[in-house]
Amino acid sequence: MSASSLPLLPDERLAAGAVRLAARYRGHFSAETVQKLPVDSYLRPAEHAKVHTHLVVPAEHLATERLDALAHIQGAPGSGLPRVLFVCGHNAGRSQMAAALLAHRAAGRVVMPSAGTDPVADMESYVAQVLMESGLSMAAAFPKPLTDEVVQAADIVITMGCGDACPVVPDRRYLDWPVPDPDGAPLGAVRTIRDEIDTHITELLGSLPGS
């Protein structure tokens, strides 16, 4: 995206988010690191978004996820939980469902970011519905770009149809789940995809430390 096509940044709200993050991570990161990530986390989804005015809150959430990953890499206190990264192409279906299902069943024992190698603007149709049927809410979910921080912090990387674009980092455990893409699939097929992912989650939980 060229400089002339950059969306107008809501500076005051991004600045307020940076202040909150600076307070949260005081003593762990420099002010420069904390200040730049909210803006970068805004610009990345803005490349794909249809409405830029709603991106400030997701940008702060993404910046928080990236700072948490950096803290894990640097061994900050409280950052030692196992991290499972789910990656698919658009981060709008499979990887989001996998992260939501693992979050529900791991009960705070695992950190589970998800990301896309080519994220889109919106979640896939029916994904929120089939997860709601399982008692899970996707109200705060949004497609996120894959960033270096979350890849480097991952203990396990689970790929789901992203092919050669999936990240490869030495000394990580890699799993590939050949789950169908829910893009454009009917509701019944998306339910089947959810259940298939949940079966993989059961196997994964059995292999994690302390299981």
Side-chain angles (χ1 to χ4, degrees):
M1 181 166 56
S2 67
S4 62
S5 64
L6 287 174
L8 180 65
L9 295 179
D11 296 330
E12 292 183 2
R13 295 179 66 191
L14 281 177
V19 169
R20 286 189 290 270
L21 291 173
R24 176 172 175 172
Y25 293 98
R26 184 175 291 116
H28 296 310
F29 302 112
S30 68
E32 291 77 13
T33 297
V34 174
Q35 288 170 2
K36 90 180 171 183
L37 279 179
V39 175
D40 184 65
S41 297
Y42 176 90
L43 290 174
R44 292 187 184 220
E47 294 179 0
H48 307 276
K50 299 172 184 176
V51 181
H52 296 132
T53 55
H54 301 306
L55 288 176
V56 176
V57 172
E60 186 173 343
H61 289 170
L62 178 57
T64 301
E65 186 174 279
R66 296 171 70 183
L67 287 164
D68 283 344
L70 282 173
H72 182 79
I73 294 168
Q74 297 177 8
S79 66
L81 290 174
R83 298 181 67 92
V84 178
L85 171 62
F86 294 101
V87 185
C88 68
H90 294 159
N91 192 222
R94 290 168 289 188
S95 55
Q96 292 277 4
M97 285 195 283
L101 288 164
L102 180 57
H104 175 67
R105 299 184 56 192
R109 295 187 289 123
V110 184
V111 178
M112 64 294 294
S114 70
T117 56
D118 184 24
V120 293
D122 302 306
M123 298 287 289
E124 298 288 358
S125 300
Y126 298 132
V127 166
Q129 182 174 339
V130 301
L131 288 174
M132 188 179 300
E133 292 171 356
S134 298
L136 307 179
S137 173
M138 297 294 287
F142 62 98
K144 301 179 294 297
L146 187 64
T147 64
D148 290 340
E149 300 90 354
V150 296
V151 176
Q152 293 292 333
D155 300 299
I156 302 173
V157 179
I158 297 177
T159 59
M160 308 171 77
C162 50
D164 293 341
C166 287
V168 176
V169 178
D171 302 320
R172 300 298 188 275
R173 179 184 173 194
Y174 278 84
L175 298 171
D176 183 67
W177 292 355
V179 179
D181 190 345
D183 184 13
L187 180 58
V190 179
R191 289 189 179 111
T192 299
I193 293 168
R194 174 202 59 197
D195 295 343
E196 183 175 342
I197 291 173
D198 200 42
T199 298
H200 285 295
I201 294 293
T202 299
E203 296 170 353
L204 175 68
L205 284 170
S207 70
L208 293 177
S211 59

